[in-house]
Amino acid sequence: MHSFTEENYIKAIFKLSVNGTQDVNTNAIAEALDTKAASVTDMLRKLSAKGLVHYVRYKGVSLSEEGKLLALQIIRKHRLWEVFLVDKLKFNWDEVHEVAEELEHITSELLVKRLDEFLGYPKFDPHGDPIPSETGEMNLKKQKLLAEMEINTSGVVLGVNDSQPLFLKFLDKIGISLGATIKVIDKIEFDNSLEINIGNNNTILISSEVSKNIFMSV
């Protein structure tokens, strides 16, 4: 059993380490969790004692294999709950993150298995992120950022890199959702903004920042 705080640390380290592949420094963790570096250091010592992280002071921290599996299981629960909230309870995709943050700490493995079965074993959440399997495996789609697409090329929206509610509401407002087809009409050299066509209907201008947060099919 792990506390909510411990699980939040493990998940934060996993994300900051690019899915467990890089070391993370304490300041980055403190900023991500909006806490003090001293508090991070204390927690890392506790997680190290439990065998969940490899921590060397002043050199950063990485997840152990046990820690990686725990992170993936937390993420699995979070994304399954997001699917449930959107598909079954009709939440919008910009409303589910905070609720799923609470539900991801439920410890019942049987409940998670039944939830997965009830939802039809989904592979991706409402934001296009892959849902880890029980053993921590994920189906990754080949994708590129909208910002990287060439003029006169098209693709399908696979996911978003920013799942903050304000960003998702903005995408809803301009008609961009998962599965939407986008064609790049032009790139503006001045600020790298893009003129795009959405679903052969709306032609609009989006900023470089927006285009860097939308994943497209290759």
Side-chain angles (χ1 to χ4, degrees):
M1 294 288 292
H2 307 286
S3 69
F4 286 15
T5 303
E6 289 172 340
E7 291 189 349
N8 286 336
Y9 267 82
I10 290 296
K11 187 174 71 169
I13 294 169
F14 182 82
K15 291 183 175 180
L16 291 169
S17 66
V18 191
N19 296 342
T21 61
Q22 301 173 9
D23 287 352
V24 181
N25 65 55
T26 54
N27 288 333
I29 300 170
E31 183 177 353
L33 296 176
D34 193 23
T35 189
K36 297 179 180 178
S39 299
V40 173
T41 299
D42 289 341
M43 178 56 72
L44 293 181
R45 291 197 185 105
K46 294 178 182 178
L47 296 175
S48 180
K50 290 188 174 185
L52 297 173
V53 302
H54 303 298
Y55 173 59
V56 179
R57 195 172 185 184
Y58 306 121
K59 290 187 178 181
V61 62
S62 61
L63 294 176
S64 66
E65 289 304 312
E66 183 180 352
K68 288 179 185 177
L69 184 58
L70 175 59
L72 286 164
Q73 292 310 307
I74 297 167
I75 292 168
R76 168 177 164 79
K77 288 184 284 185
H78 182 103
R79 293 177 180 172
L80 283 172
W81 282 117
E82 286 193 335
V83 174
F84 175 77
L85 291 167
V86 170
D87 288 1
K88 305 303 180 182
L89 299 187
K90 307 307 177 184
F91 278 67
N92 293 326
W93 68 338
D94 58 33
E95 298 174 323
V96 296
H97 181 72
E98 290 187 1
V99 181
E101 287 274 293
E102 300 178 23
L103 294 170
E104 71 186 25
H105 298 292
I106 292 174
T107 59
S108 171
E109 292 183 8
L110 179 59
L111 175 59
V112 177
K113 286 183 178 180
R114 294 282 174 85
L115 177 64
D116 193 19
E117 179 183 6
F118 176 68
L119 295 172
Y121 306 103
K123 301 300 181 185
F124 298 90
D125 74 6
H127 307 114
D129 293 317
I131 299 174
S133 68
E134 289 184 73
T135 55
E137 298 172 340
M138 287 193 286
N139 293 319
L140 300 177
K141 294 179 180 178
K142 290 184 179 180
Q143 58 190 19
K144 64 166 51 176
L145 292 173
L146 177 55
E148 299 170 346
M149 292 179 62
E150 300 295 330
I151 296 173
N152 289 325
T153 60
S154 301
V156 174
V157 178
L158 297 180
V160 293
N161 194 37
D162 183 349
S163 58
Q164 296 183 66
L166 287 178
F167 180 66
L168 298 177
K169 287 179 181 178
F170 172 73
L171 294 186
D172 282 337
K173 184 176 181 179
I174 62 176
I176 293 179
S177 59
L178 295 186
T181 299
I182 294 179
K183 181 178 181 179
V184 178
I185 305 299
D186 195 12
K187 290 190 174 185
I188 313 303
E189 292 185 10
F190 172 68
D191 59 0
N192 291 319
S193 58
L194 296 183
E195 183 181 359
I196 62 172
N197 180 273
I198 306 169
N200 296 320
N201 293 315
N202 300 328
T203 298
I204 63 171
L205 194 68
I206 61 171
S207 69
S208 172
E209 188 66 24
V210 170
S211 68
K212 290 177 181 177
N213 280 289
I214 299 174
F215 288 117
M216 306 295 297
S217 60
V218 176

